[in-house]
Amino acid sequence: MSALVTAELEQEAIAWRRHLHAHPELSFEEVETSLYVEETLRSFDGLELDRPVATAVVATLRGARPGRVLALRADIDALPIEEESGLEFASTRPGVMHACGHDGHTAMLLGAAKALCARRDELSGEVRFVFQHAEEKPPGGACQLVEAGVMDGVELVVGAHLAAMKDVGKIGCPVGPMAAAADTFSAEIHGRGGHAAAPHRALDPVVVAAQAITNAQHLVSRTVDPIKSAVVSITRIHAGTADNIIPEAVQLGGTVRTFDPEVRAEMREGLERVLRGVTEAHGASYTFAYEEGYAAVINDETAAETVLAAARSELGDDAIMDVEPIMGGEDFSAYLEKAPGAFFWVGAGREDGVPHHHPRFTIDEAAFRSGIAVFIRTALDYLA
Ligand SMILES: [Zn+2]
Ligand SMILES: [Zn+2]
């Protein structure tokens, strides 16, 4: 186990996490959370603190000598979920819960900041600790911080996510695709309402919608290169008011997940093509709105190797786990548009654990040691 993380530092990180867990705040509303982070950082030695937006905190640690610039990022927001974990430090706020582990991310980065402040003499260059608001809600906090100049001059950016369904303390950092581009769409299919007993006098948008939904399934199975991947999920469908009325219109919505920008564009075009073709075939009409969400997180090869080397040297070869990319989205991608970087997993549970975003979601705090150690070692090596 890493000597970089003392038992005392580990206990502090756990205490910070529990405070944050009990006081969660929703995306773009992290007023108390960011104040708590700021005050905690202020208690360390030698950080310059900045508030690029009211709900985020950036701390800069300048090493003893000039050198490269490394950004380390944690997200700080919670989710609109009523907690059912039964933990003694469960959320004190109705309907709001840290159900993705961002409380743990914040605690781990605070721990790394504290340890690195004490090792300032060993650093050539600068570490920027980015405590980012609003990861869970597009457009996300990352793009706002990038806009505010947080990435200016940064040469490597590294972030971590706890993984409740991976073994505690294991580190996974794939080269290449890590998290998918996550887009959303809405559509409305317009027919002509009427009496359910006289469909010939109406234009039933329900059967047209059924065709469009079925045809959309062909996009992934028949148009995407099988070596690449994509998901199209139609998750909303609304129509009708009574059993004897053919409605005027059907509303649909869903999400598209991809890694490859070309596949992303193909899915967008393909969805509209299906809607256009199917509605035209039946004399109906449509409207379509496509919203691009977070871009895909693609880990830079050298950056991922830097993180993995740090993990190996602090935690040993056995602590490295193989991980597949996920189809979930992460706004860490906004930083990667500005500098190469890597986003890594820290196992914090078990395979049969409760998934993220669940009311009974929990993480094993024993994972923090590993996450903190990887952050510290990455900084010490990169800024050696
Ligand atoms: Zn989440
Ligand atoms: Zn998350």
Side-chain angles (χ1 to χ4, degrees):
M1 190 39 70
S2 169
L4 293 174
V5 184
T6 61
E8 193 193 340
L9 184 63
E10 183 185 6
Q11 286 313 310
E12 271 182 300
I14 290 171
W16 294 324
R17 181 260 166 160
R18 291 185 179 190
H19 174 91
L20 292 165
H21 193 86
H23 303 91
E25 289 175 302
L26 294 175
S27 309
F28 296 105
E29 296 174 16
E30 305 91 333
V31 175
E32 286 176 36
T33 306
S34 56
L35 193 63
Y36 181 78
V37 168
E38 183 184 344
E39 279 169 1
T40 307
L41 290 166
R42 209 175 284 290
S43 72
F44 308 159
D45 223 13
L47 292 171
E48 292 163 34
L49 301 183
D50 184 25
R51 297 293 218 113
V53 302
T55 46
V57 188
V58 176
T60 301
L61 176 64
R62 285 180 212 286
R65 292 161 300 278
R68 300 194 277 194
V69 182
L70 166 69
L72 300 176
R73 175 271 207 168
D75 42 12
I76 67 173
D77 56 327
L79 286 157
I81 294 176
E82 181 72 30
E83 181 158 357
E84 295 172 13
S85 71
L87 293 168
E88 62 193 55
F89 52 90
S91 172
T92 55
R93 298 190 170 142
V96 187
M97 175 189 179
H98 268 294
C100 199
H102 299 187
D103 47 345
H105 306 165
T106 307
M108 290 194 295
L109 194 58
L110 285 170
K114 182 165 187 179
L116 285 165
C117 284
R119 290 171 166 264
R120 197 183 148 266
D121 288 350
E122 296 169 46
L123 301 173
S124 301
E126 176 186 325
V127 189
R128 232 171 266 174
F129 301 95
V130 179
F131 294 89
Q132 179 213 309
H133 60 305
E135 191 285 323
E136 296 283 7
K137 190 173 177 185
C143 62
Q144 294 185 339
L145 294 185
V146 167
E147 185 97 337
V150 164
M151 286 295 286
D152 293 357
V154 170
E155 291 159 274
L156 176 69
V157 56
V158 173
H161 206 297
L162 291 158
M165 295 162 82
K166 299 280 183 199
D167 291 348
V168 179
K170 300 249 172 167
I171 303 295
C173 190
V175 171
M178 162 82 192
D183 302 337
T184 54
F185 61 89
S186 298
E188 191 162 288
I189 292 174
H190 304 272
R192 202 167 54 250
H195 200 293
H200 60 296
R201 294 191 203 283
L203 199 171
D204 187 351
V206 172
V207 291
V208 179
Q211 294 283 345
I213 292 168
T214 308
N215 279 280
Q217 309 311 307
H218 295 210
L219 291 171
V220 173
S221 68
R222 301 287 88 178
T223 66
V224 177
D225 177 345
I227 301 301
K228 296 180 177 170
S229 42
V231 175
V232 174
S233 287
I234 292 167
T235 55
R236 288 189 289 117
I237 170 162
H238 293 286
T241 52
D243 295 341
N244 58 356
I245 301 170
I246 291 172
E248 282 282 317
V250 177
Q251 284 102 34
L252 307 170
T255 185
V256 173
R257 305 296 169 105
T258 53
F259 293 110
D260 185 307
E262 267 175 47
V263 175
R264 190 183 194 185
E266 266 171 40
M267 290 300 99
R268 179 187 189 143
E269 282 164 29
L271 272 171
E272 181 152 23
R273 192 173 61 242
V274 166
L275 278 169
R276 190 168 55 236
V278 171
T279 51
E280 196 182 297
H282 298 285
S285 62
Y286 74 97
T287 55
F288 179 62
Y290 191 95
E291 189 103 18
E292 288 206 343
Y294 303 154
V297 175
I298 310 290
N299 279 348
D300 174 76
E301 185 172 348
T302 311
E305 272 157 17
T306 302
V307 167
L308 286 171
R312 269 193 209 96
S313 76
E314 284 309 309
L315 310 169
D317 291 345
D318 290 347
I320 309 299
M321 60 178 171
D322 281 334
V323 281
E324 299 288 329
I326 58 159
M327 299 312 285
E330 234 303 333
D331 78 344
F332 188 76
S333 50
Y335 304 106
L336 296 176
E337 283 168 15
K338 295 288 167 191
F343 193 62
F344 66 97
W345 291 112
V346 182
R350 295 195 319 252
E351 204 172 322
D352 60 354
V354 174
H356 292 244
H357 295 204
H358 188 282
R360 289 197 305 281
F361 173 81
T362 56
I363 46 173
D364 189 332
E365 292 164 331
F368 296 175
R369 283 197 292 265
S370 295
I372 298 171
V374 174
F375 274 138
I376 300 173
R377 177 49 64 197
T378 300
L380 289 175
D381 287 354
Y382 188 70
L383 304 178

